[in-house]
């Protein structure tokens, strides 16, 4: 992660072609760079995640899409007679 955007092409490659673990770790690093707020790495991470989201690798595409568009939290609804305890 400390290497910054220089390694983003290799992270994209790992996300697309690596094992499930390597893919997940690569996307996690891009997620962290995207969330950091430093303008240049954030934009580069966003671009990498957008490319991954459009890829033919369904797993990587879904993970990247979830980073770019996080799922909304599910609201718990309590009904009559239901207690969350």
């Amino acid at each position: 992660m400390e290497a910054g955007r220089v390694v983003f092409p290799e992270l994209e490659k790992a996300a697309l072609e690596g094992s499930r673990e390597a893919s997940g770790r690569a996307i996690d690093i891009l997620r962290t760079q995207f969330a950091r707020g430093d303008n240049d790495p954030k934009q580069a991470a966003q671009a990498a995640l957008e490319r991954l989201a459009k890829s033919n690798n369904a797993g990587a595409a879904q993970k990247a899409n979830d980073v770019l568009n996080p799922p909304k939290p599910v609201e718990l609804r309590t009904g009559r007679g239901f207690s969350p305890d």
Side-chain angles (χ1 to χ4, degrees), residues 17-32:
E17 300 172 6
S19 66
R20 183 183 296 183
E21 182 179 352
S23 177
R25 287 178 184 229
I27 291 174
D28 284 343
I29 293 169
L30 290 170
R31 173 193 335 241
T32 300

Side-chain angles (χ1 to χ4, degrees), residues 49-74:
L49 289 163
E50 287 172 352
R51 285 188 295 274
L52 289 170
K54 294 177 184 174
S55 75
N56 291 332
N57 181 316
Q62 183 63 53
K63 289 176 189 173
N65 191 46
D66 287 346
V67 173
L68 294 168
N69 305 297
K72 294 181 181 176
V74 176

Side-chain angles (χ1 to χ4, degrees), residues 4 7-16 22 25-27 29-30 52:
V7 297
F8 287 5
E10 291 300 318
L11 291 172
E12 283 186 69
K13 183 176 179 181
L16 293 172
R25 287 178 184 229
I27 291 174
I29 293 169
L30 290 170
L52 289 170

